[in-house]
Amino acid sequence: MITVKNQEQIDLMRVAGSIVAETLELLEAHAKPGISTKALDKIAHDYIISRGAKPSFLHYQGFPGTICASVDDVVVHGFPSDKPLEEGQILSIDCGAIFKGWHGDAARTIAIGKISPEKQKLIDVTKASFFEGIKGLKEGSRLGDIGSRIQTYAEKFGYGVVRDFVGHGIGRQMHEDPSVPNYGMAGTGLKLKSGNTIAIEPMINMGSHEVRINGWDHRTRDGLPSAHYENTVLITESGCEILTQVSPEGRAILTRKLEAE
Ligand code: MG
Ligand code: MG
């Protein structure tokens, strides 16, 4: 079932979304060569708890962390590990939080130290493909419109758009209907309504779109790097709103925290 959220529910999702966006900014400030993704995971866990929320991912279907930490050719769902990050790697961080029963979900790929221009371009195009995907998005848009825009944009650069994992509805559950593919045909698929909330999350590979799936281990088949960019998005009558962005209150809290470190 595809749910429509009311104003009160949307307000709670905005808080959850801000906490997720704050956490991602906090992690970005700490993600340097030498730190482990387990250390980043602890920072995320403690921050989410300090904000009165709960990590969505921890123990979800047995997942062991607060964040998914996917390095280089790992597409998504990487387990936080003790291995120190290295200069030149790219790290996709996916994070979710539950606030008063409502979820926020977002992901960013970031550079560890100095990275190659090729990797930077992959990160930039992946982020831009998300913003292409939400262009013109509003009540009455179809799911295929989003996927088609993302796919057309990313493939112009010769990149592969991952098929094995897709975006999703979100709300009281982290994963709700519908599935939101990052590929497809404009004018097809489900028609969106005002009050729908969906996580749009292009996963873009530098090479082929193919993924080798082995349990929780999800790597590109060709070994080339992959990037991820995700936000939780509210559909409205006149457009859409990104719910996973830092609120003014969240900005003040995060700034105080970073200054205290
Ligand atoms: Mg996510
Ligand atoms: Mg998601």
Side-chain angles (χ1 to χ4, degrees), residues 57 77 94-95 104-107 166-170 174-175 198-201 203 228 230-232:
F57 297 177
H77 304 153
D94 196 342
C95 183
D105 184 10
V166 295
H168 48 92
I170 177 168
M174 180 161 63
H175 293 125
I198 54 176
I200 302 174
E201 49 178 315
M203 289 150 264
H228 189 193
E230 174 182 29
N231 283 305
T232 299

Side-chain angles (χ1 to χ4, degrees), residues 109-128:
T109 298
I110 59 176
I112 304 304
K114 195 170 160 35
I115 59 168
S116 70
E118 292 79 15
K119 282 182 167 176
Q120 188 60 54
K121 186 175 160 195
L122 176 68
I123 291 175
D124 294 343
V125 168
T126 302
K127 179 177 179 179

Side-chain angles (χ1 to χ4, degrees), residues 3-229:
T3 54
V4 169
K5 281 78 176 179
N6 66 30
Q7 199 51 54
E8 193 187 341
Q9 296 168 337
I10 289 163
D11 286 342
L12 292 172
M13 287 186 72
R14 266 197 206 99
V15 179
S18 179
I19 293 167
V20 169
E22 292 158 39
T23 306
L24 288 169
E25 279 196 28
L26 180 63
L27 295 180
E28 197 157 355
H30 284 88
K32 303 264 156 52
I35 195 170
S36 72
T37 51
K38 238 187 199 162
L40 294 176
D41 190 71
K42 167 123 179 59
I43 292 169
H45 178 271
D46 293 352
Y47 187 75
I48 290 170
I49 299 292
S50 79
R51 294 286 280 111
K54 281 188 281 189
S56 304
F57 297 177
L58 190 58
H59 310 314
Y60 181 81
Q61 294 181 1
F63 189 79
T66 291
I67 57 167
C68 300
S70 308
V71 177
D72 284 339
D73 64 326
V74 179
V75 178
V76 282
H77 304 153
F79 286 11
S81 91
D82 289 319
K83 219 171 139 195
L85 290 165
E86 291 167 28
E87 177 103 24
Q89 289 179 327
I90 60 173
L91 171 66
S92 298
I93 304 172
D94 196 342
C95 183
I98 318 164
F99 182 76
K100 295 188 177 169
W102 294 88
H103 286 261
D105 184 10
R108 307 280 182 263
T109 298
I110 59 176
I112 304 304
K114 195 170 160 35
I115 59 168
S116 70
E118 292 79 15
K119 282 182 167 176
Q120 188 60 54
K121 186 175 160 195
L122 176 68
I123 291 175
D124 294 343
V125 168
T126 302
K127 179 177 179 179
S129 77
F130 167 88
F131 287 98
E132 277 295 314
I134 63 168
K135 256 189 201 166
L137 180 60
K138 59 176 188 172
E139 176 160 72
S141 296
R142 290 180 180 274
L143 283 177
D145 300 339
I146 302 172
S148 157
R149 279 201 198 91
I150 291 171
Q151 182 181 17
T152 305
Y153 183 80
E155 287 182 350
K156 271 199 300 209
F157 297 87
Y159 294 154
V161 176
V162 170
R163 312 290 202 270
D164 294 278
F165 306 103
V166 295
H168 48 92
I170 177 168
R172 233 187 250 285
Q173 306 294 326
M174 180 161 63
H175 293 125
E176 297 184 353
D177 287 338
S179 288
V180 183
N182 300 299
Y183 53 90
M185 272 170 59
T188 67
L190 177 94
K191 221 183 226 184
L192 290 160
K193 286 191 194 134
S194 178
N196 288 152
T197 45
I198 54 176
I200 302 174
E201 49 178 315
M203 289 150 264
I204 308 294
N205 296 349
M206 195 182 277
S208 145
H209 69 78
E210 286 181 271
V211 180
R212 183 180 297 131
I213 296 174
N214 187 359
W216 280 101
D217 192 49
H218 304 151
R219 290 167 195 271
T220 59
R221 192 166 282 278
D222 56 18
L224 289 170
S226 183
H228 189 193
Y229 190 91

